[in-house]
Amino acid sequence: MLFSELCNNKIRDMKKLKNYSVWFCAVLFLLSSCSKAQESMSEKKEISKDKNVLIVYLSRTKNTKTVAEIIHQNVGGTLVELELQNPYPENYKSIVDQVAKENEANFLPPLKTKIEDIEKYDVIFLGFPTWGMQLPPPIKSFLSQNDFKGKTIIPFNTNAGYGIGSSFETVKKLAPNSKVLEGFTIRGGIERDGILFVMEGKKKVEAEKKVKEWMTKIGMSKIKPLN
């Protein structure tokens, strides 16, 4: 009986120890999860607090320009439109043909726009339309001629309904030493069909709402309430 009681006591002690171990591990897991969540929240807050913001955009029909201005109204910073030394033709088919040739040849069109002291900016919003399901060549020029090491890049896009194509991935490839956050995209006009500027009235209100939701999601907390 004594041996049996000793065994039973031992088993009970082992079960208690096992239960304590499980409980202890669970507590450690919860503490670790909370710590990581706090770090993630702190990181998001840090992105938008005391950072110099640059908003650079390329816009042909002013839809991307409107989104850039909405972002600027919310976070402030410096707003810059990219311009080319040799502007693209006004004719839609002509620009489509020219951009296709530039993409095929990996040609980087020279920019008229020069941003002084770009190293002083911590966060760079980068806006562009989708051209041929790719990143427009002028944006490739901008990314290729500047050093974005250690910076945060946030892409935003307007398109004719076909999405971003490979544009966001190309941003990551051309700025490998930067941190690229989740981008924003919204449908704009359809120049092919003669539908140009659409970011007005209800469409602009919708864009403002979506931009605000996106910026909150990525941790850009310096957002002014939209009227």
Side-chain angles (χ1 to χ4, degrees):
M1 287 290 295
L2 181 60
F3 178 76
S4 176
E5 289 178 3
L6 287 173
C7 287
N8 289 334
N9 290 338
K10 190 68 173 179
I11 291 172
R12 283 196 297 269
D13 290 342
M14 290 178 67
K15 286 183 177 179
K16 288 181 180 180
L17 182 60
K18 183 178 180 180
N19 290 335
Y20 288 147
S21 298
V22 171
W23 178 83
F24 183 69
C25 290
V27 171
L28 284 180
F29 176 78
L30 288 173
L31 290 175
S32 176
S33 299
C34 291
S35 176
K36 289 180 180 179
Q38 289 176 346
E39 288 175 3
S40 178
M41 291 176 63
S42 298
E43 182 181 0
K44 283 188 174 182
K45 290 180 180 178
E46 184 182 358
I47 290 174
S48 59
K49 184 179 180 182
D50 300 326
K51 298 291 184 179
N52 290 323
V53 175
L54 173 66
I55 304 167
V56 178
Y57 69 92
L58 174 74
S59 189
R60 179 172 167 83
T61 57
K62 298 185 179 180
N63 292 296
T64 307
K65 177 182 179 181
T66 300
V67 176
E69 290 172 344
I70 293 171
I71 294 171
H72 184 246
Q73 290 167 5
N74 281 277
V75 301
T78 303
L79 183 64
V80 178
E81 180 175 9
L82 281 186
E83 296 182 78
L84 296 172
Q85 287 186 10
N86 302 303
Y88 285 117
E90 291 296 325
N91 180 268
Y92 174 73
K93 186 178 185 309
S94 297
I95 187 176
V96 168
D97 292 341
Q98 182 173 333
V99 168
K101 291 177 181 177
E102 290 178 351
N103 284 329
E104 185 177 351
N106 292 319
F107 176 73
L108 300 178
L111 301 175
K112 178 181 177 181
T113 304
K114 306 295 180 185
I115 300 175
E116 302 295 333
D117 302 324
I118 195 170
E119 64 274 2
K120 74 180 181 181
Y121 294 102
D122 308 292
V123 177
I124 300 174
F125 285 88
L126 187 62
F128 46 85
T130 301
W131 285 357
M133 299 307 292
Q134 297 186 45
L135 189 69
I139 300 295
K140 295 177 185 177
S141 295
F142 175 72
L143 290 171
S144 298
Q145 71 182 25
N146 292 290
D147 182 11
F148 298 98
K149 183 177 181 180
K151 299 185 183 301
T152 297
I153 296 179
I154 311 174
F156 61 97
N157 163 272
T158 60
N159 62 82
Y162 298 101
I164 61 173
S166 60
S167 60
F168 285 4
E169 286 303 315
T170 303
V171 170
K172 294 178 182 179
K173 290 178 182 178
L174 294 178
N177 297 317
S178 67
K179 180 179 181 180
V180 180
L181 298 190
E182 177 184 341
F184 173 82
T185 185
I186 191 171
R187 184 167 180 169
I190 308 175
E191 189 176 1
R192 178 198 61 198
D193 298 339
I195 303 172
L196 305 180
F197 180 63
V198 300
M199 290 291 174
E200 54 187 344
K202 290 184 179 179
K203 183 69 174 179
K204 184 178 180 181
V205 172
E206 175 192 351
E208 289 174 338
K209 181 176 181 293
K210 289 184 176 180
V211 167
K212 182 177 179 181
E213 291 172 350
W214 163 64
M215 295 179 71
T216 300
K217 182 179 180 181
I218 63 174
M220 294 301 298
S221 59
K222 290 196 304 185
I223 298 177
K224 301 174 184 177
L226 298 175
N227 296 324

